[in-house]
Amino acid sequence: MQLVQYSRLSSDPTNPKLIEWDLPNIQQISEEIKDHGAIYLATPYSFEPLRAHFNNAGYCDCGEKQEKINLKRALRFDEKRKRDLPKMLVFNTDSISAFKRGINAFINKHYTVADPPCLIIISERIMDSLKREITKIPAQNEVLTSVIENDPLFMLINIPDSDPKFKRLEEDYIGKSLKIQHTRALIYRASLTDSPVLILGETGTGKDVIATKIHENSNSHKDRFVRINCSALPETLLESELFGSVKGSYTGSNLDKEGLFVKAKGGTIFLDEIGDLSLANQVKILHAVENKEIRQIGSNTSIPVNVRIIAATNRNLDAMMLHGTFREDLYYRISTFRITSPPLREHPEDIPLLAKTYWSRRSRKSQLSDEFLDYLKNYQWPGNVRELYALLNSLADYFGDISPTSAHVDAIRKSRQETLNQSKINENDDPLQLLKIKSQNILITIQNILRSIKIELRPIINQQLNEKNSVAKLKDLKNIFTQQVNVLNELCNEPSYFKRWDLFKEITHYSYVLDNTVNLWPNSAEGLRIVWISELKSLDDNINKGVMDVLWGKIDM
């Protein structure tokens, strides 16, 4: 568990340090963070599993606070009866400057060596910024000239420039930011092993590029690179496609079918969108990975297969495992080497280099101006690198070989009647406004999904269907549930958009109940009514209340 510590005992209390605890019993962390005169910072992901332990250890829960807060008041240091209690506070903002102003003012003016410890929960974005400052990572155009001795992260990134394989990777997987250096180093190191690789990341971040580069630079399993999109094939066809079948094993099977695992023998098989596999097919993949053998449909014998597995998904596998929709044993088998492909908004300093490289590779005579590149950096790119490249292609298709400006982009968006405004962000504007809008839109969409499901269920809830009508209604509802589960799973890819961990858990649990209901579909309207009363109704109430709190009430977006 990584934490950032500010200490009044240090020579410079406003200069934090990065500490990492890997305790045999993770529950001991609440006891370890007990030094007076010290403030500890953690992210929601590392803190949430430990919340109960901090409560039991006597920490005063100071709630959630928004931007431009007074930390003294937020941490209740103005209440004498609670001054001696250790404190917990969720700093609910992505504004780095607001956080730094708040904590520096608090440490300089109000916090002393004798004061109790404080644990403050901050966003991943603020934590990344602090880590950069602590480890003195250079600015975007500077070269990393020194490595902090014995720091595993820097040792990982510090690969000799003389290695021709790594030089090729720098040309193919472009970027100079720390996040891209880290990902590129993992690609390089994954290519040196035979272990399965799991690639996680949002749509459009280049997961397929990472998989291809691992295979191309591999020391072994270099024969064939076989790709399959697990979400593109119906469940009933996936087993035949992956493992093959023997003649006569099913109706219309007139020939033996080899299967992709056999075709990839000696090479690599890339299972894209593995998070979309059913539990039944996950078991079959697990058997193939564990035993390095497959059994074709209709066959009684197993075939040994020597393939390297690379898997990728844009789904949140941690949440899926929590709700039993993704097998833990398969997850640990395929994630021996795990790589996260960062979204473009987390390394905007790479946008000019990406844009210029792509523009030049398309044989454009014109140049991208510095003003236009700055304009590109001020957009959040929800579609990531794929959206960036699509925009550059559209500019050339619409206007020819010109040096584009923001006006050209606006013209394309207006002609497409797109509503998203990509105007340049002014100095006084919040650079995360588009992300906040996306968060709001996701929550409103989820609210509309729940409302539509409740409306569709109303005749069943109110017992207004006769036996004849209920058959057709149940069939329609099964299709609706299936569609909405897929939409909810897509919306739940990024927990940070939900602002509250409990709200995210409620929504993913609602999706799980829908999915489970589809798989075990009731044979009567009364059975579906029982599912609503026993599970969905309370989830619906809690989610709607949570969404309203975030959008209009207690929680600052």
Side-chain angles (χ1 to χ4, degrees):
M1 178 179 180
Q2 280 192 331
L3 300 135
V4 169
Q5 181 197 59
Y6 289 84
S7 175
R8 289 296 306 181
L9 294 173
S10 70
S11 57
D12 183 2
T14 60
N15 187 21
K17 68 176 182 178
L18 187 65
I19 59 176
E20 185 160 352
W21 271 311
D22 186 18
L23 299 177
N25 183 356
I26 199 72
Q27 299 176 10
Q28 294 177 8
I29 287 182
S30 58
E31 300 172 9
E32 292 290 332
I33 304 176
K34 60 185 179 181
D35 295 336
H36 278 56
I39 298 174
Y40 296 88
L41 311 178
T43 61
Y45 288 123
S46 57
F47 166 71
E48 193 59 39
L50 304 173
R51 182 188 289 272
H53 304 301
F54 281 98
N55 287 331
N56 293 337
Y59 277 72
C60 176
D61 190 344
C62 299
E64 299 188 12
K65 303 300 175 183
Q66 292 113 26
E67 298 181 18
K68 300 178 181 177
I69 63 171
N70 182 328
L71 270 179
K72 175 187 174 185
R73 185 173 300 169
L75 287 165
R76 303 180 184 177
F77 271 81
D78 51 349
E79 296 179 23
K80 292 183 179 179
R81 64 187 178 88
K82 293 184 178 180
R83 186 179 180 91
D84 294 333
L85 288 177
K87 317 289 184 184
M88 289 187 304
L89 172 70
V90 176
F91 196 91
N92 192 22
T93 180
D94 275 332
S95 174
I96 297 169
S97 58
F99 170 77
K100 289 180 180 177
R101 284 195 301 270
I103 195 165
N104 287 338
F106 177 66
I107 290 174
N108 286 329
K109 297 179 181 178
H110 306 292
Y111 196 60
T112 70
V113 173
D115 283 322
C118 302
L119 177 68
I120 301 178
I121 313 307
I122 58 175
S123 70
E124 294 279 358
R125 183 170 184 266
I126 295 176
M127 180 67 86
D128 284 346
S129 175
L130 290 171
K131 287 180 183 177
R132 279 175 171 272
E133 291 185 4
I134 293 168
T135 53
K136 297 179 174 58
I137 303 300
Q140 66 182 71
N141 293 322
E142 295 177 2
V143 179
L144 189 58
T145 56
S146 63
V147 176
I148 298 178
E149 195 172 349
N150 297 325
D151 187 322
L153 176 61
F154 284 87
M155 292 169 64
L156 178 68
I157 293 174
N158 189 37
I159 296 171
D161 291 338
S162 57
D163 190 324
K165 184 185 293 186
F166 194 69
K167 292 294 288 184
R168 288 195 301 271
L169 271 177
E170 289 181 325
E171 297 171 1
D172 295 330
Y173 195 75
I174 301 166
K176 295 183 178 180
S177 65
L178 178 63
K179 284 185 178 292
I180 293 300
Q181 288 184 58
H182 181 231
T183 305
R184 193 161 50 224
L186 291 178
I187 295 171
Y188 171 81
R189 296 190 184 280
S191 70
L192 303 180
T193 77
D194 294 331
S195 300
V197 179
L198 175 63
I199 307 169
L200 302 176
E202 296 178 12
T203 298
T205 54
K207 298 187 292 296
D208 54 341
V209 175
I210 292 174
T212 302
K213 295 307 164 188
I214 291 173
H215 171 71
E216 288 179 355
N217 292 283
S218 178
N219 291 333
S220 59
H221 295 98
K222 297 187 69 171
D223 288 350
R224 295 195 63 181
F225 181 72
V226 177
R227 179 196 313 262
I228 183 168
N229 188 326
C230 297
S231 65
L233 285 174
E235 182 181 350
T236 53
L237 295 180
L238 190 66
E239 183 180 3
S240 172
E241 192 70 20
L242 288 175
F243 307 129
S245 59
V246 298
K247 180 181 177 180
S249 57
Y250 55 86
T251 304
S253 175
N254 300 321
L255 298 170
D256 288 345
K257 184 174 181 179
E258 195 173 38
L260 295 180
F261 266 81
V262 175
K263 287 182 180 178
K265 203 170 182 179
T268 302
I269 188 163
F270 176 39
L271 302 173
D272 199 8
E273 303 303 343
I274 196 171
D276 292 346
L277 286 175
S278 67
L279 287 170
N281 280 326
Q282 288 176 34
V283 172
K284 293 162 187 172
I285 296 290
L286 175 63
H287 176 82
V289 175
E290 277 188 330
N291 302 312
K292 297 186 182 299
E293 64 180 26
I294 57 98
R295 181 174 294 180
Q296 295 178 317
I297 296 176
S299 174
N300 293 323
T301 59
S302 297
I303 302 173
V305 285
N306 179 26
V307 297
R308 204 260 181 91
I309 302 290
I310 300 178
T313 183
N314 61 5
R315 293 203 177 202
N316 187 325
L317 294 188
D318 295 315
M320 292 179 69
M321 285 191 294
L322 180 68
H323 295 299
T325 55
F326 198 87
R327 294 180 62 97
E328 285 191 43
D329 45 8
L330 176 59
Y331 173 82
Y332 293 121
R333 281 292 182 185
I334 62 175
S335 63
T336 305
F337 213 112
R338 174 169 164 166
I339 300 175
T340 299
S341 184
L344 194 52
R345 64 179 175 275
E346 291 184 1
H347 55 109
E349 61 267 39
D350 289 324
I351 291 175
L353 179 59
L354 286 164
K356 287 193 292 186
T357 302
Y358 187 78
W359 192 256
S360 63
R361 286 178 180 175
R362 296 298 175 184
S363 302
R364 315 287 187 215
K365 294 180 180 178
S366 58
Q367 302 293 318
L368 300 180
S369 67
D370 291 341
E371 182 181 3
F372 181 69
L373 293 172
D374 286 339
Y375 168 76
L376 295 180
K377 285 173 62 177
N378 285 314
Y379 175 57
Q380 297 299 319
W381 300 106
N384 296 296
V385 178
R386 183 181 293 142
E387 183 185 0
L388 172 64
Y389 289 168
L391 174 66
L392 295 174
N393 280 334
S394 295
L395 287 166
D397 291 342
Y398 275 74
F399 299 106
D401 197 355
I402 54 135
S403 183
T405 67
S406 60
H408 292 104
V409 177
D410 290 339
I412 291 176
R413 293 189 178 279
K414 287 177 182 177
S415 71
R416 294 173 175 174
Q417 297 183 340
E418 292 182 2
T419 57
L420 184 60
N421 179 18
Q422 197 197 6
S423 60
K424 185 175 180 181
I425 298 175
N426 296 320
E427 290 183 1
N428 296 326
D429 290 340
D430 182 357
L432 295 174
Q433 188 61 34
L434 285 172
L435 273 182
K436 292 180 180 179
I437 292 172
K438 183 172 182 179
S439 178
Q440 291 172 338
N441 289 339
I442 286 175
L443 292 175
I444 291 170
T445 301
I446 288 173
Q447 205 173 32
N448 289 335
I449 288 173
L450 267 61
R451 186 179 294 115
S452 68
I453 288 174
K454 189 174 182 179
I455 290 171
E456 292 291 341
L457 283 172
R458 191 170 292 159
I460 289 177
I461 296 170
N462 298 331
Q463 298 178 303
Q464 296 172 335
L465 292 178
N466 57 39
E467 186 175 346
K468 180 179 179 181
N469 292 336
S470 67
V471 175
K473 184 63 177 177
L474 282 171
K475 184 178 180 180
D476 289 342
L477 277 170
K478 187 174 183 179
N479 292 331
I480 291 169
F481 276 28
T482 302
Q483 294 168 3
Q484 301 296 25
V485 164
N486 293 333
V487 175
L488 284 172
N489 285 337
E490 286 293 325
L491 294 172
C492 291
N493 278 331
E494 180 49 67
S496 62
Y497 287 128
F498 296 86
K499 298 299 176 184
R500 280 175 27 184
W501 179 249
D502 59 334
L503 177 59
F504 173 70
K505 287 197 295 185
E506 295 271 22
I507 293 169
T508 53
H509 186 55
Y510 184 98
S511 177
Y512 166 73
V513 172
L514 282 188
D515 193 29
N516 197 46
T517 304
V518 170
N519 293 330
L520 304 172
W521 191 250
N523 55 14
S524 68
E526 181 60 23
L528 195 56
R529 181 171 173 270
I530 291 172
V531 172
W532 168 262
I533 294 171
S534 62
E535 297 191 76
L536 288 177
K537 185 178 185 303
S538 60
L539 288 170
D540 180 89
D541 291 341
N542 292 341
I543 292 168
N544 276 298
K545 182 180 182 303
V547 171
M548 293 301 291
D549 283 345
V550 172
L551 293 178
W552 316 112
K554 302 173 184 177
I555 311 300
D556 179 38
M557 292 293 291

